[in-house]
């Protein structure tokens, strides 16, 4: 029973890591496109987000591959949730007739 609770905790922790990672990515894109130095935003964010997630996975797993696998599943689930939450309602506009073909 205790191991089941550890796996549930690992899944929740993986989900939180996913929200941090993908939420941070969403925030970085919004800040980076408006910045005068987008490369600094994107590279700094990548290093920070990746470091937080790797340390988080290391701490959650505590040497157990089962916890690592379950936390990875929570991370992937968070990805799909963040995609749904951050989706905009604007639909892409079709290409203008003059840009459909090469002249």
């Amino acid at each position: 029973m205790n191991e089941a609770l550890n796996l549930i905790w690992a899944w929740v922790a993986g989900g939180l890591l996913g929200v941090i990672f993908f939420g941070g990515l969403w925030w970085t894109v919004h800040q980076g496109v408006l910045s005068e130095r987008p490369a600094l935003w994107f590279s700094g964010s990548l290093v920070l987000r990746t470091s937080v997630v790797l340390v988080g996975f290391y701490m959650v797993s505590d040497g157990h591959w089962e916890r690592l696998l379950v936390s990875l599943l929570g991370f992937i689930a968070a990805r799909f949730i963040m995609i749904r939450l951050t989706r905009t309602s604007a639909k892409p506009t079709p290409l203008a007739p003059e840009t459909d073909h090469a002249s």
Side-chain angles (χ1 to χ4, degrees), residues 85-100:
L85 289 176
T86 58
R87 183 173 290 158
T88 60
S89 61
K91 298 198 186 239
T93 57
L95 295 175
E98 63 271 7
T99 61
D100 280 343

Side-chain angles (χ1 to χ4, degrees), residues 24-42:
L25 176 60
W26 178 81
W27 184 75
T28 300
V29 168
H30 282 276
Q31 296 298 317
V33 296
L34 301 174
S35 174
E36 293 180 9
R37 295 179 176 209
L40 184 61
W41 274 99
F42 288 107

